[in-house]
Amino acid sequence: MVINPSIEVYLLDPHGKVLAYSAPEGKVVRNRVSLAPLQHFISGNAEYPLKGDDPRSTRGNKVFSASPIKRDGRLQGYLYVILGSEAYDGIAKRIAGSYALRVAAGLLLTALIISLLFGLGGFAFITRRLRLLAKIMQNVSPGKAARDREWYPERDTRRPDEIEILGRSFNEMAQRIDRQMQALTRNDAQRREMIANISHDLRTPLTSLHGYLETLLLKDTQLDAQDRQRYLHIANTQSHQLIRLVSELFELAKLDSCEAMINIEAFSLAELVQDVVNKFQLKAREKRIKLLVECPSSLPFAYGDIGLIQRVLDNLIENALQHTPENGQVRVSLTSDRRNIMVEISDTGCGIPGEALPHIFDRFYRLDKSRQTGPQHAGLGLAIAKRILELHNGRIWARSRLNEGTTFGFQFASQPFGNL
């Protein structure tokens, strides 16, 4: 056992009792070995592998070799050799453990590599839409038209994931930016058109006013009283037109700015309409126009800025009288529902072409000269009326038929809103 640690040698008596062995004290826990496996081995008829009792284990069995010891033909005992000693088992276990460790390490490394490959593939598969969205975002150009822009392809899903929600949000943002850019472009065009119109509307009366005043200065002694009076009257008319235009420009600018603070209060719209109509009765009689009012007896109070609403009525009634021929009619009708009061001003004038109706509330929009029966001016009255109704959370509209007349209407609240 010292020379070959892979075996253990035991000396047994004829009954299987362990008589001697080479091992430290306490290692051998069995003092008797079953003889049946030994006898099968010695007989030569045994089926292998054949295992016998392990003296160093209470229940263990090991492969063995055995030989009888005889003297004078009598059996004296057995030589029992365990082929896999305890030291051998320890070394074998360490080797097996080391091999298992190497195999486990190899399997773990292989699994990690496979997991990494699958992870990279899965990550690339998952983030492909995110990379597409990033590419689309990087290609966004302010000067590129919406039809030429690449959009994120939306999927028809009832429960979109985060990337789908991000893509839809980007499309909505891009569309909103496009609309804002278009609005800025339109506003810039309108601004330029407005400047041109203002220049024209200011230049025309200024030129006329300057010409007549210059004529009066140069030919004062050559003009008779009638011509002098006529020139002064024309100059006065042009100056009033300038004052009106400048006043309307300041009024519209104030309504557009943050200074447009409306004073909301309850008032009787019927009384206000009657006061405004009475103010225009003289002008209507001069033009032989019937100016009528239709108002129900149970009209509720209106809520708004009485001064601004009067300005709307002034603009619309004056506009109706201006475009109604002699022997015509202008009718002011008031109605209400549970939440709003409606006012309609109808005339029997020449009407407005259908293609012009969507633009009549635009600033400085001009109709054809056939509609302009009175003095021409910048056309800010309807724009001012629209802005006032917007400040009251109301709306204004127009209906017209050529050669039959036009109806302007507006509505606003008959209940409190804002800060009363």
Side-chain angles (χ1 to χ4, degrees):
M1 292 177 63
V2 172
I3 295 173
N4 186 5
S6 64
I7 64 172
E8 297 174 0
V9 181
Y10 298 91
L11 184 62
L12 307 179
D13 67 5
H15 302 289
K17 182 178 179 180
V18 178
L19 299 177
Y21 57 86
S22 177
E25 289 293 332
K27 287 289 185 178
V28 177
V29 296
R30 287 189 185 188
N31 57 7
R32 186 177 297 277
V33 175
S34 175
L35 296 178
L38 277 72
Q39 294 172 353
H40 278 83
F41 177 79
I42 295 172
S43 66
N45 297 324
E47 294 182 359
Y48 299 100
L50 183 63
K51 294 185 178 182
D53 293 340
D54 181 11
R56 298 197 183 195
S57 176
T58 57
R59 296 182 180 181
N61 295 315
K62 287 189 175 182
V63 177
F64 68 93
S65 180
S67 177
I69 301 175
K70 293 182 180 181
R71 185 178 181 184
D72 300 331
R74 296 180 61 185
L75 182 65
Q76 300 297 315
Y78 297 96
L79 187 62
Y80 184 60
V81 180
I82 299 296
L83 300 180
S85 66
E86 187 177 35
Y88 175 82
D89 289 344
I91 294 172
K93 287 181 180 179
R94 286 195 294 273
I95 293 174
S98 177
Y99 176 75
L101 181 62
R102 290 197 302 273
V103 172
L107 291 175
L108 180 60
L109 181 60
T110 304
L112 287 175
I113 294 174
I114 295 174
S115 299
L116 179 61
L117 293 177
F118 275 103
L120 291 175
F123 182 77
F125 178 78
I126 292 173
T127 59
R128 73 190 191 284
R129 292 184 293 143
L130 193 59
R131 293 196 303 273
L132 174 62
L133 180 59
K135 178 182 177 182
I136 294 173
M137 289 181 176
Q138 291 173 354
N139 292 333
V140 172
S141 175
K144 185 177 292 185
R147 62 178 179 275
D148 300 329
R149 181 175 299 160
E150 187 178 1
W151 299 92
Y152 181 78
E154 298 182 10
R155 299 182 300 172
D156 186 13
T157 55
R158 294 186 178 180
R159 298 182 63 182
D161 56 13
E162 290 80 1
I163 299 177
E164 186 72 20
I165 294 174
L166 183 61
R168 293 180 181 180
S169 300
F170 169 75
N171 286 347
E172 293 175 359
M173 180 194 67
Q175 292 171 358
R176 187 161 53 249
I177 291 175
D178 288 338
R179 289 194 297 268
Q180 291 174 350
M181 291 298 296
Q182 293 172 3
L184 288 175
T185 302
R186 288 194 302 269
N187 290 339
D188 184 65
Q190 291 175 358
R191 178 184 60 82
R192 296 184 181 185
E193 183 180 0
M194 180 184 69
I195 293 174
N197 289 330
I198 291 176
S199 301
H200 177 270
D201 287 315
L202 288 175
R203 184 174 63 250
T204 301
L206 277 174
T207 302
S208 177
L209 179 62
H210 175 75
Y212 283 103
L213 290 177
E214 189 176 21
T215 300
L216 287 172
L217 288 174
L218 295 177
K219 299 182 178 181
D220 183 47
T221 57
Q222 302 176 14
L223 296 175
D224 56 19
Q226 184 178 0
D227 289 338
R228 187 182 295 107
Q229 187 67 25
R230 182 168 60 87
Y231 288 174
L232 289 174
H233 176 74
I234 294 174
N236 183 60
T237 302
Q238 298 299 326
S239 67
H240 279 293
Q241 186 173 346
L242 279 173
I243 293 172
R244 175 175 181 173
L245 175 59
V246 173
S247 299
E248 287 182 344
L249 285 172
F250 277 111
E251 183 178 6
L252 189 57
K254 182 178 179 181
L255 290 172
D256 285 337
S257 69
C258 58
E259 299 177 4
M261 302 295 293
I262 60 176
N263 181 26
I264 303 172
E265 59 181 327
F267 64 93
S268 174
L269 183 60
E271 294 181 3
L272 177 61
V273 169
Q274 193 62 52
D275 291 341
V276 175
V277 168
N278 290 336
K279 182 172 64 174
F280 286 98
Q281 283 292 358
L282 179 59
K283 183 177 181 180
R285 283 195 294 268
E286 290 177 354
K287 294 188 65 176
R288 300 178 183 177
I289 296 174
K290 292 183 179 179
L291 183 55
L292 307 175
V293 178
E294 293 181 353
C295 178
S297 58
S298 59
L299 191 70
F301 277 97
Y303 288 86
D305 190 310
I306 187 171
L308 295 180
I309 298 300
Q310 180 179 350
R311 183 74 170 93
V312 174
L313 291 170
D314 286 341
N315 286 353
L316 295 181
I317 294 177
E318 182 179 9
N319 188 66
L321 292 173
Q322 178 181 345
H323 298 99
T324 301
E326 291 186 358
N327 300 319
Q329 177 178 289
V330 174
R331 185 181 302 273
V332 183
S333 303
L334 285 76
T335 57
S336 66
D337 56 21
R338 290 184 298 178
R339 301 187 60 181
N340 297 298
I341 293 181
M342 283 75 71
V343 181
E344 288 191 342
I345 295 96
S346 304
D347 64 55
T348 57
C350 59
I352 302 174
E355 64 273 10
L357 279 177
H359 307 288
I360 58 175
F361 296 104
D362 296 343
R363 302 176 186 190
F364 298 101
Y365 179 77
R366 293 177 179 275
L367 294 175
D368 293 338
K369 292 184 178 181
S370 60
R371 173 73 178 173
Q372 298 285 351
T373 58
Q376 297 186 16
H377 54 86
L380 291 175
L382 292 179
I384 292 173
K386 179 183 178 182
R387 181 58 184 157
I388 291 174
L389 268 299
E390 288 175 350
L391 293 174
H392 284 77
N393 297 327
R395 66 186 185 95
I396 187 169
W397 64 89
R399 302 188 306 270
S400 182
R401 298 184 66 178
L402 285 176
N403 302 319
E404 292 187 12
T406 303
T407 298
F408 284 92
F410 66 91
Q411 70 176 33
F412 62 103
S414 61
Q415 295 180 0
F417 71 97
N419 297 322
L420 181 59

